[in-house]
Amino acid sequence: MKALRLKLFQETACYKKPFASKVAETYPLPPYSTVKGMIHALLRADRFIPMRLSVQGEYEAKLLDYQRHYFFKKRDVAAFPLILDGIQDESFSYDANEITTMPIYTHLLYRVDLLIHVEAEKEVLERVIHAIETGENHYSLGRWEDLVRIDEYKIVQVDELDEEKDLRYYAYIPHHLLDIDIKHIPYELPWKYEVVNGVRKWEKVNVGYVRKGTTAPEGACIDEDGELVFFHL
C-alpha cells in the first residue's frame, strides 16, 4: 500500500487531554483526532475523509507553563475578552457576572519530533501534498499556537514487517497488535465524533504507548525507508 509520510517538528506543544480542567495535561504524542484534524484543516474539508494514521515521535523535556484562563459563566455573553498583556496604556475590563478567570498549569512538550504516516485514497494524499506546497498560513498541531514545521512529506510504499526490528521512536500501537510481553501505557484515544443531541460522541481507539527500543510486535508494517508503521485501523 502507499502512504504519505510526514516528519514534523514543534518547539513546544500541548495535546490537551479531555476532562483535564484544573491542569492542562498533555498526551505524550498527538492523539489520532488531533492529527486527523490537522490533515482536514490542510484540505479545508467540511466532512470526514476516511484515512488511517500511524503516530510516533519523541520529545526532549516536559515544561510547566502558568497561564491565566478566562471562563464564560453563560452560554451567551455581551462581550468577548481580549488579552492585552504586554501592551502599555491599554485598559481592559469585563463583566464579572459573565466571565471569570483562574490560573492554570499547562503541560508543554519541548522540542517534539513526530513521524506520521497517513494512508488514504491517492487523490486525498495528492491534495494534502498540494496544500502543503501552496499553503499561505502557518501550520499548527494541537492548539492554534502550537506551530509545526513540516520537515518532510513523501509518498512511500508500506508493507508488512517480516523481520525483527526495534522501535526508533515512542509510538501508539493499537491494542490488537500488542502481546502480553510488551510493556506499555494504555490510552483510549479519540478518533472521530458524531453530534448526538448537540453533544459530540467520540469513537475511541485503544492503544498502548510503547517506549522506543522495544521490539515491534507481529503485524506491524514498515515503509520503503525502514520506518516502522502502526496503523490504528
Side-chain angles (χ1 to χ4, degrees), residues 149-199:
R149 188 181 73 205
I150 301 176
D151 289 339
E152 181 196 76
Y153 53 93
K154 179 182 179 182
I155 298 292
V156 292
Q157 176 67 30
V158 176
D159 297 298
E160 188 169 336
L161 179 66
D162 58 3
E163 60 183 10
E164 191 170 284
K165 187 174 180 61
D166 295 340
L167 275 71
R168 193 159 74 95
Y169 296 102
Y170 294 81
Y172 289 139
I173 298 182
H175 189 263
H176 69 274
L177 291 179
L178 296 171
D179 60 48
I180 195 170
D181 296 326
I182 296 181
K183 294 181 179 179
H184 62 275
I185 299 173
Y187 282 102
E188 194 175 56
L189 298 180
W191 162 234
K192 66 177 183 178
Y193 67 87
E194 60 178 337
V195 178
V196 179
N197 297 326
V199 178

Side-chain angles (χ1 to χ4, degrees), residues 94-105:
Y94 55 87
D95 187 344
N97 294 318
E98 295 183 337
I99 298 171
T100 187
T101 66
M102 184 171 70
I104 287 182
Y105 282 109

